[in-house]
Amino acid sequence: MAVSLAPYAANESRSRGRKYDEPTSTYRGEYQRDRDRIIHSTAFRRLVYKTQVFVNHEGDLYRTRLTHSLEVSQIGRTVAVALNLNEPLTEAICLAHDLGHTPFGHAGQDTLNACMRDYGGFEHNLQSLRVVDVLEAKYADFAGLNLMFETREGILKHCSARNARELGDVGLRFLERKQPGLEAQIANIADAIAYNNHDVDDGFRAGLLSLEQLREQPLFATRFDEVHERYPDLEDRRLIYEIIRRMIGAVVSDLIEETRRRIDAAAPNSIDDVRESEKPMVSMSDAMYAQHVSLKQFLHKHLYSHEQKLAMTRKVQAMVQGLFSAYMGDVNRMPDQFAVVASRADEFGRARVVTDFIAGMTDRYAIAAHESLTA
Ligand code: MG
């Protein structure tokens, strides 16, 4: 553990701890253990075959949920260290933030949410928490990974009021409109910084975004001009990388500097002071945030809603709906560990088991499962 942790950083000696008491580790801090538990989890290994934006088989170079999570973690750790915050905790939250993501990215999650409309809905953040709290079966003494409160607080970045009421401890802040610790706030923004930048790269590689379009974005255009002036003959691939690395650098530096200002102004003495504050303290400057949001909206319009992506979305909807109704109709189509629990449950409980099974699938597992239904 770093000796220079700020007083308002998460600190295991003042943590709200684990649900089940465990003996301390000889060589690792508690948040390091959390990070290690996440990396050893089944759900983490599945991220390699789950879509970020491009479906896994569309190309080997595109981001998957796994490489996305690693990029989030890498950005988050930089910010945490620069601000004397808890690096292992930040890393743990970043690596776990998408554990509950369905196959096929947002199309999968939206479809599953629609299937679950009458059964309590589906939220991928809540599912990430459910994975680490309930679904991972690794320990003899308890279900889930028994992570520290602060790690769980960070994983649950959004939550509806209805679900928050049922969750207890980590749900409370959504009802009281309080903030999570700074490490959780960092993970949240690191996620957005990572995907904004890597989606420019992936979108360009896929031929769905052009340099001309990207140059309409101030965040991109500023770096384009810098790089183009200095290296006028650079080929497009290297040009894009050089621009993206500078974009990440600019946004992350701005984030660190603005957050430092906000922390100084609020002068918190503890993580509880951070939690009590009205607004998040981890933030970009207004000017940078406007550029970041503009790029995000651009990606929504030109990449996520691209006709080629929409065609994939329709296929995914049919697949996920097909799986959901098939398993609801006959739970024995699922593997034993799900079928047994589902067969003892009422309709509401059955829908949750079916959803846990589908949400855990990788893209290719879901495709094969769907094919086997019609075989
Ligand atoms: Mg993410």
Side-chain angles (χ1 to χ4, degrees):
M1 184 63 55
V3 282
S4 56
L5 268 190
Y8 39 80
N11 190 320
E12 62 180 65
S13 65
R14 292 189 296 275
S15 166
R16 297 193 192 172
R18 302 184 190 280
K19 186 170 172 196
Y20 306 99
D21 280 339
E22 291 186 61
T24 54
S25 164
T26 316
Y27 299 110
R28 292 175 300 165
E30 295 304 320
Y31 300 114
Q32 288 177 293
R33 288 173 99 184
D34 278 9
R35 175 201 58 204
D36 299 352
R37 288 174 183 203
I38 289 158
I39 288 178
H40 288 291
S41 71
T42 309
F44 186 74
R45 285 196 299 282
R46 288 182 178 149
L47 294 179
V48 70
Y49 294 115
K50 289 196 182 199
T51 292
Q52 179 62 27
V53 171
F54 293 88
V55 175
N56 208 283
H57 60 254
E58 289 180 304
D60 288 348
L61 290 177
Y62 297 120
R63 267 70 175 184
T64 66
R65 287 265 156 216
L66 182 66
T67 57
H68 162 70
S69 300
L70 295 174
E71 290 186 33
V72 173
S73 163
Q74 170 268 115
I75 290 170
R77 289 166 57 206
T78 300
V79 179
V81 170
L83 297 169
N84 295 330
L85 298 171
N86 198 307
E87 182 188 11
L89 171 62
T90 308
E91 186 178 12
I93 297 169
C94 291
L95 292 176
H97 85 282
D98 273 347
L99 288 181
H101 234 294
T102 61
F104 311 118
H106 284 278
Q109 115 112 19
D110 293 346
T111 311
L112 210 45
N113 188 27
C115 293
M116 286 295 282
R117 192 174 297 124
D118 297 333
Y119 308 106
F122 176 85
E123 298 173 27
H124 77 266
N125 273 133
L126 191 59
Q127 191 70 8
S128 294
L129 187 68
R130 190 168 158 75
V131 166
V132 300
D133 276 359
V134 181
L135 296 177
E136 281 290 323
K138 287 274 188 291
Y139 291 84
D141 289 330
F142 43 77
L145 303 178
N146 196 32
L147 301 181
M148 298 285 276
F149 175 86
E150 294 73 22
T151 312
R152 299 172 56 239
E153 173 189 52
I155 291 172
L156 192 67
K157 85 179 161 186
H158 312 290
C159 183
S160 64
R162 186 188 56 195
N163 286 320
R165 273 190 288 276
E166 284 175 20
L167 279 172
D169 58 1
V170 280
L172 212 55
R173 79 175 161 96
F174 298 96
L175 303 174
E176 296 176 344
R177 300 190 181 284
K178 290 182 180 168
Q179 308 302 322
L182 294 169
E183 291 81 359
Q185 295 182 29
I186 289 173
N188 190 7
I189 297 185
D191 184 22
I193 296 173
Y195 66 65
N196 243 9
N197 283 284
H198 64 49
D199 289 350
V200 167
D201 182 33
D202 283 353
F204 182 77
R205 179 181 300 105
L208 301 182
L209 303 174
S210 68
L211 271 180
E212 290 64 40
Q213 283 176 313
L214 285 163
R215 285 177 66 191
E216 290 165 19
Q217 286 304 307
L219 196 57
F220 188 93
T222 311
R223 275 90 227 165
F224 176 91
D225 294 343
E226 274 169 28
V227 177
H228 188 65
E229 196 187 8
R230 180 131 180 241
Y231 308 97
D233 301 321
L234 207 58
E235 71 270 30
D236 282 358
R237 284 294 334 147
R238 287 174 78 187
L239 177 69
I240 282 279
Y241 279 125
E242 188 60 42
I243 292 168
I244 290 174
R245 60 175 284 269
R246 286 168 188 239
M247 288 205 296
I248 297 175
V251 174
V252 169
S253 301
D254 178 273
L255 178 67
I256 291 167
E257 285 151 27
E258 179 64 20
T259 301
R260 209 173 259 152
R261 271 193 288 278
R262 291 189 185 205
I263 291 173
D264 287 349
N269 287 314
S270 67
I271 189 171
D272 284 326
D273 287 351
V274 172
R275 288 178 174 133
E276 291 298 327
S277 85
E278 229 165 82
K279 287 197 299 188
M281 289 180 203
V282 178
S283 175
M284 297 171 207
S285 65
D286 290 346
M288 186 59 89
Y289 186 68
Q291 295 191 12
H292 165 83
V293 170
S294 165
L295 179 59
K296 187 170 166 168
Q297 288 165 344
F298 166 88
L299 289 168
H300 266 281
K301 188 165 166 216
H302 296 283
L303 184 61
Y304 313 142
S305 315
H306 195 282
E307 187 47 42
Q308 197 177 317
K309 293 243 52 72
L310 293 181
M312 186 55 86
T313 299
R314 286 188 286 271
K315 268 197 231 171
V316 164
Q317 279 168 346
M319 234 185 304
V320 173
Q321 275 161 1
L323 289 169
F324 187 84
S325 38
Y327 299 140
M328 282 300 277
D330 179 4
V331 295
N332 293 314
R333 285 176 178 271
M334 296 188 289
D336 280 354
Q337 77 261 36
F338 293 97
V340 170
V341 185
S343 62
R344 292 194 200 119
D346 60 8
E347 190 182 340
F348 213 82
R350 189 157 68 239
R352 186 57 60 191
V353 178
V354 167
T355 293
D356 286 339
F357 179 45
I358 297 174
M361 291 179 181
T362 61
D363 296 0
R364 59 185 193 171
Y365 188 100
I367 292 167
H370 185 254
E371 276 168 8
S372 79
L373 290 179
T374 47

